[in-house]
Amino acid sequence: MAHILIVEDDIQFREMMVKMLEGDKHKVTMANDGFDALQKLTTLQPDLIITDILMPTIDGVEFIMQLNEQGSHIPLIAMSGGRRAISPEFNLDSASLLGVKSTLAKPFSRADLRLAIENALA
């Protein structure tokens, strides 16, 4: 199965995703935000990155932009639950313009996650 880097600042949501992915036999590495993920990417090469959009320090859009600037070819899935003034769709549309392979609006089902991973790795 795939080695997946999850970039998510919400600890409970991140841990839930890890359980789902490890249940599907994926190897999972976790990062708290874009800054943490960029540091981890200096020493690891995942098959896929799943990143939240709204995070502290370096948010998902900035993280994706930095990966693009570095010439990264790691497939990306963006996810967002939005905020009061910003819809998840707006965040995910922004990520799509930056070249992510799939998007997920929170909350999503395990089936939605599996389909997004399948599409991103195809």
Side-chain angles (χ1 to χ4, degrees):
M1 295 272 94
H3 179 193
I4 300 173
L5 173 62
I6 297 175
V7 188
E8 169 64 65
D9 62 314
D10 183 307
I11 295 167
Q12 290 179 328
F13 194 81
R14 187 175 63 227
E15 288 177 358
M16 179 210 52
M17 286 190 64
V18 168
K19 286 180 183 176
M20 287 194 308
L21 294 170
E22 288 179 343
D24 287 344
K25 308 295 185 217
H26 294 290
K27 178 181 178 186
V28 180
T29 301
M30 297 177 283
N32 301 319
D33 56 36
F35 180 78
D36 187 26
L38 288 169
Q39 288 184 317
K40 286 182 174 19
L41 287 169
T42 63
T43 59
L44 68 96
Q45 182 70 28
D47 301 308
L48 175 67
I49 299 170
I50 302 175
T51 185
D52 191 16
I53 296 298
L54 300 174
M55 298 179 291
T57 314
I58 294 180
D59 69 18
V61 170
E62 186 177 344
F63 171 64
I64 294 166
M65 290 172 58
Q66 287 192 33
L67 289 177
N68 288 342
E69 287 172 11
Q70 294 172 7
S72 173
H73 296 291
I74 302 169
L76 288 154
I77 297 173
M79 58 185 174
S80 181
R83 290 218 174 115
R84 286 184 185 168
I86 302 172
S87 72
E89 291 79 17
F90 175 81
N91 292 327
L92 297 174
D93 287 345
S94 299
S96 292
L97 293 172
L98 295 171
V100 301
K101 296 286 186 179
S102 294
T103 59
L104 290 166
K106 293 179 186 174
F108 49 82
S109 70
R110 187 176 198 154
D112 292 335
L113 179 60
R114 285 178 177 152
L115 182 61
I117 291 169
E118 182 181 317
N119 290 339
L121 293 175

